[in-house]
């Protein structure tokens, strides 16, 4: 069977790409190793840049986002007990962010794909990609024990950090850059009223914490934890007790605790693979890069990759011109590196790095002091957090 584009991965990257190509009349097949329920069960990102909101609107999946998304004009930083509000709206010239869970936008995109009658093969096993340097690329997979092959013009590797596509490229053709952080994030989802209207990023001598949300009745909290820690060691009671230790009196007064409905530990890393194109294979999203979630960039970077890749593919099929495809990797990486820098900077500002000693902590204090005193510093933070232009 021949199909113009085979997309590996049914996460936000793959689904958004599939939807934009469908709207342009370009057929795709998505191959996903997990079940639909498993993909929807993963609790991940929560903050959308306006650029991503605009893309979801263009993709025709903005209705629930408009109805249920929470527009945020700023957030607080609580640094060693001192609160500072970052006025995103005022400092960025009027741009806000929208709080809307990745799970929800993934569901919206899945529903749109089903409505379009576009094919996704869930629980596709042993996906492998072939001949992506040739005249025709091929993808092999197994479903219900039966082997199947797809011939295609292009393969979109939207299969995340551990996916098969990047791993299928000869190491001699790919350059990777990586930093692994010496801690993780312990995340909890609870059906409780969020502690505040806006997010609170906390830097405390005991470690980083983040108070976020998914709605007015669903809260998302994170604690910096050791890499050796296991989620089984963290009862709800222990989690809430540690969170309270890192919050100030005002937040502790307003904190509503309750049973966790999801609890997980995620490692933090910065990672970039260059280039993002290998013949007929194009990498997008986490398949090509990872950021620590501190700057809320992971999901939003996937959106800008898809913006560039979908535009290039649509241009190709309309004009037979490969200029967009040839420019994809360089265009995407320019924005990737800016998001990598910002995510690295915000992670270094707010987390505990005991190995950096007292000088390192004084540098964090000086950075925070500058941020609170300088409008220019605030503007730099705000323009990166709301999202640099595509
Ligand atoms: P995804 O990883 O979402 O999707 C890839 C898909 O490919 C998956 O469904 C996977 O099952 C599938 N796949 C993998 N290998 C395959 C194979 N061989 N064959 C077929 N399918 C295959 N970002 C934020 O901005 N804020 C956050 O708080 C945040 N928290 C995160 C927590 C965790 C634990 C992780 C892992 C990431 C988090 N991220 C966060 C980043 C996350 O939101 C990603 O940026 C986002 O999921 C990227 O989407 P995709 O590129 O589609 O990759
Ligand atoms: C989240 O709500 O999951 C979230 C919000 C902001 C971040 C990271 C995660 O920077």
């Amino acid at each position: 069977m021949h199909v113009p584009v085979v997309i590996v991965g049914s996460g936000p990257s793959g689904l958004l790409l599939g939807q934009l190509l469908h709207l342009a009349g370009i057929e795709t097949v998505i191959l996903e190793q997990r079940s639909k329920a498993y993909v929807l069960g993963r609790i991940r990102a929560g903050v959308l840049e306006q650029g991503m909101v605009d893309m979801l609107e263009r993709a025709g999946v903005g209705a629930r986002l408009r109805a249920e998304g929470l527009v945020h004009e700023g957030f607080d930083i609580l640094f060693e007990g001192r609160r500072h509000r970052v006025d995103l709206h005022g400092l960025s010239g009027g741009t806000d962010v929208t709080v809307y869970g990745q799970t929800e936008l993934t569901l919206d995109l899945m529903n749109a794909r089903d409505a379009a009658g576009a094919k996704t093969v869930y629980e596709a096993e042993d996906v492998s990609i072939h001949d992506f340097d040739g005249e025709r690329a091929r993808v092999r997979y197994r479903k219900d024990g039966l082997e199947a092959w797809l011939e295609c013009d292009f393969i979109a590797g939207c299969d995340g950090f551990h996916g098969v596509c990047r791993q299928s490229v000869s190491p001699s053709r790919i350059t990777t850059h990586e930093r692994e952080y010496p801690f993780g994030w312990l995340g909890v989802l609870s059906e409780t009223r969020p502690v505040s209207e806006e997010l609170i990023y906390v830097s405390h001598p005991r470690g980083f914490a983040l108070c976020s949300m998914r709605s007015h009745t669903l809260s998302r909290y994170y604690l910096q934890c050791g890499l050796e820690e296991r989620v089984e060691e963290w009862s709800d009671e222990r989690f809430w007790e540690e969170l309270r230790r890192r919050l100030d009196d005002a937040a502790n007064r307003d904190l509503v605790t309750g049973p966790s409905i999801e609890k997980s530990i995620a490692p933090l890393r910065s990672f970039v693979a260059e280039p993002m194109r290998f013949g007929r294979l194009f990498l997008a999203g986490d398949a090509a890069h990872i950021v620590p979630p501190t700057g809320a960039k992971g999901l939003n970077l996937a959106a800008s990759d898809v913006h560039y890749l979908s535009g290039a593919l649509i241009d190709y099929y309309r004009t037979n011109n490969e200029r967009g495809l040839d420019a994809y990797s360089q265009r995407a990486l320019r924005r990737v590196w800016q998001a990598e820098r910002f995510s690295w900077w915000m992670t270094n500002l707010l987390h505990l790095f005991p190995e950096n000693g007292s000088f390192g902590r004084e540098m964090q204090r000086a950075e925070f002091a500058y941020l609170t005193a300088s409008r220019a510093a605030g503007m730099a933070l705000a323009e990166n957090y709301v999202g640099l232009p595509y």
Side-chain angles (χ1 to χ4, degrees):
M1 173 187 170
H2 177 270
V3 60
V5 181
V6 171
I7 299 171
V8 184
S10 178
S13 299
L15 287 164
L16 183 54
L17 178 63
Q19 181 63 7
L20 291 170
L21 293 182
H22 163 72
L23 293 177
I26 300 165
E27 186 191 358
T28 62
V29 170
I30 294 182
L31 301 177
E32 166 58 52
Q33 67 178 358
R34 300 288 189 172
S35 68
K36 194 179 221 179
Y38 185 94
V39 175
L40 289 170
R42 289 188 301 230
I43 304 301
R44 290 193 173 163
V47 173
L48 308 186
E49 297 171 354
Q50 188 56 45
M52 177 157 204
V53 171
D54 295 345
M55 278 190 71
L56 292 168
E57 291 284 5
R58 282 201 304 278
V61 294
R64 211 157 62 98
L65 171 56
R66 277 192 307 276
E68 299 174 17
L70 304 176
V71 175
H72 280 206
E73 298 189 357
F75 62 80
D76 272 6
I77 298 179
L78 172 58
F79 192 98
E80 294 185 327
R82 182 186 163 200
R83 287 267 188 135
H84 170 71
R85 182 170 186 270
V86 178
D87 173 14
L88 293 173
H89 189 88
L91 289 165
S92 70
T95 305
D96 305 319
V97 293
T98 300
V99 169
Y100 189 69
Q102 176 172 324
T103 306
E104 305 315 318
L105 72 87
T106 302
L107 178 61
D108 295 339
L109 286 164
M110 284 178 174
N111 289 340
R113 187 165 180 85
D114 290 347
K119 182 175 179 182
T120 298
V121 179
Y122 286 101
E123 296 177 293
E125 299 172 26
D126 300 330
V127 173
S128 58
I129 62 175
H130 308 268
D131 306 333
F132 48 86
D133 287 312
E135 284 306 304
R136 279 265 182 277
R138 295 185 301 148
V139 182
R140 177 195 171 280
Y141 67 96
R142 255 180 333 103
K143 174 68 179 173
D144 301 332
L146 296 176
E147 178 179 277
W149 284 87
L150 292 171
E151 192 180 84
C152 54
D153 301 329
F154 303 105
I155 301 170
C158 299
D159 49 347
F161 182 68
H162 300 289
V164 67
C165 290
R166 190 184 72 248
Q167 318 276 2
S168 300
V169 176
S170 157
S172 63
R173 299 175 67 183
I174 201 164
T175 303
T176 59
H177 313 270
E178 186 161 17
R179 162 151 306 174
E180 292 187 346
Y181 297 88
F183 44 75
W185 276 20
L186 166 62
V188 155
L189 194 66
S190 64
E191 289 172 329
T192 54
R193 174 176 51 75
V195 68
S196 70
E197 286 291 312
E198 295 179 332
L199 273 58
I200 308 174
Y201 288 84
V202 183
S203 184
H204 185 279
R206 295 179 66 88
F208 168 86
L210 173 58
C211 303
S212 184
M213 65 198 75
R214 292 291 178 273
S215 71
H216 293 308
T217 58
L218 197 57
S219 300
R220 180 72 169 161
Y221 294 102
Y222 296 96
L223 293 176
Q224 176 182 349
C225 66
L227 278 178
E228 74 292 343
E229 305 213 33
R230 294 175 29 255
V231 70
E232 299 77 27
E233 298 162 348
W234 283 86
S235 67
D236 287 357
E237 185 185 4
R238 181 187 175 196
F239 181 88
W240 295 122
E241 192 181 306
E242 183 58 35
L243 177 62
R244 285 193 178 281
R245 285 199 178 116
R246 301 184 190 184
L247 296 178
D248 60 4
D249 293 345
N252 267 307
R253 190 178 50 245
D254 297 335
L255 181 65
V256 176
T257 63
S260 60
I261 58 173
E262 191 272 351
K263 193 186 293 174
S264 54
I265 293 179
L268 271 66
R269 78 174 78 237
S270 298
F271 173 86
V272 178
E274 296 183 303
M276 291 170 58
R277 180 222 183 151
F278 305 89
R280 297 183 174 278
L281 170 64
F282 293 81
L283 302 179
D286 278 17
H289 42 72
I290 295 286
V291 285
T294 324
K297 290 295 156 224
L299 176 58
N300 292 294
L301 263 188
S304 49
D305 287 351
V306 168
H307 168 76
Y308 300 131
L309 182 54
S310 60
L313 287 166
I314 292 166
D315 186 36
Y316 169 76
Y317 281 105
R318 280 187 181 152
T319 67
N320 208 32
N321 188 311
E322 299 199 12
R323 61 173 179 267
L325 296 172
D326 294 340
Y328 165 69
S329 180
Q330 190 177 13
R331 278 186 81 190
L333 282 165
R334 194 176 302 128
R335 193 170 193 272
V336 164
W337 278 113
Q338 288 304 314
E340 290 284 347
R341 182 207 66 81
F342 175 68
S343 304
W344 165 84
W345 172 81
M346 207 159 161
T347 300
N348 277 283
L349 170 64
L350 296 171
H351 288 76
L352 213 55
F353 289 85
E355 67 279 16
N356 290 352
S358 64
F359 183 80
R361 190 60 182 163
E362 289 307 324
M363 285 296 97
Q364 291 176 307
R365 288 181 178 132
E367 186 79 49
F368 179 69
Y370 176 54
L371 188 61
T372 58
S374 161
R375 180 173 172 78
M379 288 171 70
L381 192 170
E383 74 169 349
N384 280 279
Y385 194 91
V386 301
L388 295 178
Y390 280 15

